[in-house]
Amino acid sequence: MSTLKVYNSLTRQKETFEPLVNGHVGMYVCGPTVSGESHMGHARPFITFDIVYRYLMHLGYKVRYVRNITDAGHFEEEGREAEDKISKKATIEKLEPMELVQKYTNLYHWAMSQFNNLPPSIEPTATGHIVEQIGMIETIIADGYAYEVNGSVYFDVEKYNTDFAPKGQPYGMLSGRVLEDMLETTRDLDNQEEKRNKADFALWKNAPPEHIMRWKSPWGEGFPGWHIECSAMSTKYLGDQFDIHGGGMDLQFPHHECEIAQSTVCNHKTPARYWLHNNMITVNGKKMGKSYGNQISLTQMFTGNHPILEQAYAPMTIRFFILQTHYRSTLDFGNEALKAAEKGLKRLWEAYELSQKIELTAVQSADAALDATVRKLLATFDEYMNDDFNTAKVLASMFELVPVINGIKDKHIAADALSAETWQLLQKQLKLFVEDIFGLKSELAGGDGKLDGVVQLLITIRLDAKTKKDYVTSDKIRNELATLGIQLKDERDGGTSYSVN
């Protein structure tokens, strides 16, 4: 078997993957900010790194997969500097901040279960690690790379760069940006006058009187900066240095760049050896965003309830759609592309299920050339996955096997054309990759997406009602669905599944 190679954003090249500890992998992936519902853009990184997680385990590694929950607001370096998304949304929805956080965390977990994503090994929250964040900030100040102004603490980017650039660790090493250019182009933000340089970023912010979420610190009451949260949590659970840091390409700068700088100061080494970034999703060739009116939430995807959507799309259709493109390539969303993915998944799944039912008994192949072709295609599954997790090429190989499977069923290909050994290998490889590694499942593959979408919408409404302690509405939805033969089951992780009798 070929060895695993991954594209390292830090070195900008493919490298042979070699973990720090033999047989073990530490992987940190930036999780959601739970101030609202996840959308299509969020689906891609979480499905991408679920595949990475599954494949690493398939290779025999014991993986500690850490994916955080950002529930302490979301400090906006590129927007209004002191805006807290969670406090702002809590005020709008008339909920306590942590009530809002719980609502959207539950909804996020539910969406992940719909996509059949495995839960991470550890899912730390930013609010649960304030002590660790304050400790890191104190270390950075003590080492001379941060300064306090009016109860806020800023990282001194220029001093860091002066000391670490000669060591080959400049600020901008991940994104390829040059500090001098950043100082010229950084736009003016709130409290800019507090900083020594425009490029400096906040480690801790002084909380104004109206700010709801606040914690005591050596510098007064305030809240953490966005970047320090991930550094603190990755260090606590994966150590001073770990194997893989993942996330969307939009996080390379400033988030991951800042993580590298502050973690390097605290731990005296670059935090992760391999940085993996998935590319973005566009909608009909345009960037996805609220201002474009093309940001589609996951419940809207599942129900079809959005002006852009022509129909509802089942979670497995979306998962399959994402796997059809290499994770580092741009993925353009459109109704025609998703409809094609729906048809493609149905065709593949039907052939896969058929392959598991047919039993061939011929000891030797009657068609040596076909037998060799099938074996060669099966061998490409691992070959392509070892080439930077190329799911698109694996799917292409699978579709080359579909006519063979259908041909044997329809008797266009003789039952003894393949040897029993080759057929058993085909059954084994397809089950392994379709279900275990690609995470596709039968419940929604080629199923009634509209029915599922309606039920999922009702589950979401019921969850919202329970969050607001409106148990009359919650119970009514459960009971009415039960009379229609649809049983709801509340899971331990806060999500809800259903079965049809």
Side-chain angles (χ1 to χ4, degrees):
M1 183 188 293
S2 58
T3 56
L4 174 63
K5 291 190 175 181
V6 301
Y7 183 85
N8 190 350
S9 300
L10 190 62
T11 60
R12 298 168 185 78
Q13 63 185 8
K14 283 184 187 177
E15 300 177 353
T16 299
F17 178 70
E18 296 177 353
L20 285 162
V21 179
N22 190 35
H24 295 257
V25 174
M27 180 170 74
Y28 186 90
V29 175
C30 294
T33 298
V34 284
S35 59
E37 189 184 348
S38 296
H39 54 70
M40 269 292 285
H42 296 134
R44 192 172 194 191
F46 300 134
I47 289 174
T48 293
F49 288 99
D50 181 60
I51 298 296
V52 172
Y53 181 33
R54 288 169 178 267
Y55 192 66
L56 288 170
M57 290 193 292
H58 160 66
L59 292 179
Y61 291 112
K62 183 176 182 181
V63 185
R64 176 174 286 182
Y65 175 19
V66 182
R67 187 184 66 210
N68 74 297
I69 296 284
T70 298
D71 62 347
H74 195 314
F75 175 68
E76 292 289 322
E77 288 288 346
E78 297 295 324
R80 288 190 53 186
E81 199 168 331
E83 182 178 58
D84 180 334
K85 286 186 179 180
I86 288 173
S87 291
K88 184 178 179 182
K89 193 76 178 285
T91 301
I92 292 171
E93 296 197 21
K94 295 183 172 59
L95 297 172
E96 284 293 322
M98 296 315 293
E99 190 176 8
L100 179 109
V101 161
Q102 191 63 56
K103 170 185 173 180
Y104 287 115
T105 299
N106 288 343
L107 196 55
Y108 165 72
H109 285 152
W110 165 77
M112 293 304 99
S113 69
Q114 297 308 298
F115 286 130
N116 200 26
N117 284 346
L118 299 175
S121 313
I122 302 173
E123 192 175 55
T125 63
T127 55
H129 296 79
I130 298 295
V131 170
E132 288 84 356
Q133 292 167 63
I134 289 174
M136 286 193 86
I137 296 169
E138 288 178 320
T139 298
I140 296 169
I141 292 174
D143 288 350
Y145 293 97
Y147 54 92
E148 183 266 333
V149 182
N150 300 325
S152 295
V153 180
Y154 297 96
F155 188 91
D156 192 334
V157 171
E158 194 163 29
K159 175 168 173 46
Y160 171 85
N161 205 52
T162 299
D163 292 347
F164 284 88
K167 301 176 183 178
Q169 296 172 301
Y171 184 78
M173 62 190 289
L174 180 66
S175 62
R177 302 192 184 200
V178 179
L179 180 58
E180 288 72 18
D181 295 339
M182 285 188 266
L183 292 173
E184 292 297 321
T185 58
T186 302
R187 55 180 166 162
D188 290 333
L189 303 171
D190 293 347
N191 296 29
Q192 190 69 58
E193 70 281 354
E194 289 186 349
K195 300 181 182 181
R196 292 176 184 170
N197 291 290
K198 287 184 177 181
D200 294 353
F201 57 89
L203 299 171
W204 187 266
K205 285 294 295 181
N206 177 44
E210 68 275 11
H211 202 90
I212 302 173
M213 299 182 79
R214 56 207 299 137
W215 291 267
K216 291 181 179 179
S217 79
W219 318 285
E221 288 197 354
F223 56 98
W226 174 28
H227 316 306
I228 197 68
E229 297 174 353
C230 285
S231 283
M233 288 183 278
S234 62
T235 298
K236 177 165 184 174
Y237 296 109
L238 297 174
D240 294 348
Q241 190 175 53
F242 49 96
D243 298 299
I244 297 172
H245 196 310
M249 198 172 284
D250 57 321
L251 298 180
Q252 276 191 347
F253 186 88
H255 186 48
H256 291 166
E257 201 74 73
C258 296
E259 275 191 67
I260 288 175
Q262 61 202 13
S263 292
T264 300
V265 168
C266 284
N267 302 328
H268 310 292
K269 56 187 72 172
T270 305
R273 298 177 67 206
Y274 303 92
W275 292 76
L276 275 56
H277 292 94
N278 65 275
N279 213 320
M280 300 295 99
I281 285 182
T282 56
V283 180
N284 297 319
K286 289 184 178 179
K287 181 180 178 181
M288 182 184 290
K290 288 182 181 178
S291 59
Y292 297 107
N294 63 2
Q295 188 165 291
I296 308 170
S297 74
L298 295 179
T299 51
Q300 288 172 328
M301 287 296 305
F302 301 158
T303 61
N305 185 26
H306 192 282
I308 291 176
L309 300 175
E310 295 178 4
Q311 65 174 68
Y313 297 100
M316 286 300 104
T317 296
I318 297 168
R319 186 178 181 97
F320 180 79
F321 172 66
I322 288 172
L323 297 183
Q324 281 183 304
T325 302
H326 188 269
Y327 77 92
R328 285 193 291 110
S329 299
T330 302
L331 179 60
D332 189 49
F333 160 83
N335 281 285
E336 294 309 310
L338 269 171
K339 287 177 186 176
E342 187 174 60
K343 290 178 182 176
L345 174 59
K346 186 173 188 293
R347 182 165 176 256
L348 177 65
W349 192 268
E350 287 175 351
Y352 162 61
E353 285 194 319
L354 190 61
S355 75
Q356 303 302 301
K357 295 174 183 175
I358 298 173
E359 292 297 333
L360 299 187
T361 57
V363 178
Q364 290 185 329
S365 168
D367 188 336
L370 180 62
D371 198 83
T373 297
V374 168
R375 281 182 168 272
K376 186 175 180 181
L377 286 169
L378 294 172
T380 63
F381 291 9
D382 279 295
E383 178 187 337
Y384 292 146
M385 284 299 286
N386 282 332
D387 184 16
D388 196 30
F389 310 103
N390 200 326
T391 57
K393 284 190 173 182
V394 176
L395 284 175
S397 288
M398 287 183 183
F399 275 106
E400 286 194 55
L401 291 168
V402 169
V404 178
I405 297 167
N406 290 336
I408 291 174
K409 182 203 94 167
D410 298 333
K411 298 184 169 42
H412 298 313
I413 296 175
D416 63 350
L418 302 180
S419 69
E421 185 181 10
T422 297
W423 187 256
Q424 287 163 8
L425 180 62
L426 179 145
Q427 291 177 317
K428 179 182 176 183
Q429 282 288 86
L430 281 181
K431 187 175 192 316
L432 173 65
F433 276 83
V434 171
E435 293 199 50
D436 297 345
I437 295 174
F438 283 6
L440 298 171
K441 61 181 183 178
S442 61
E443 291 95 318
L444 301 179
D448 189 345
K450 290 183 180 179
L451 171 63
D452 181 70
V454 171
V455 176
Q456 299 299 354
L457 177 60
L458 289 170
I459 288 173
T460 303
I461 294 170
R462 177 172 173 265
L463 179 64
D464 193 19
K466 287 176 70 179
T467 302
K468 294 177 180 177
K469 297 181 171 56
D470 180 4
Y471 299 114
V472 173
T473 300
S474 170
D475 291 344
K476 184 176 181 181
I477 291 172
R478 173 191 281 275
N479 295 335
E480 289 293 332
L481 285 175
T483 63
L484 297 172
I486 300 172
Q487 303 295 327
L488 300 185
K489 180 183 178 183
D490 294 323
E491 307 290 353
R492 290 183 179 180
D493 64 0
T496 302
S497 59
Y498 76 91
S499 58
V500 181
N501 297 331

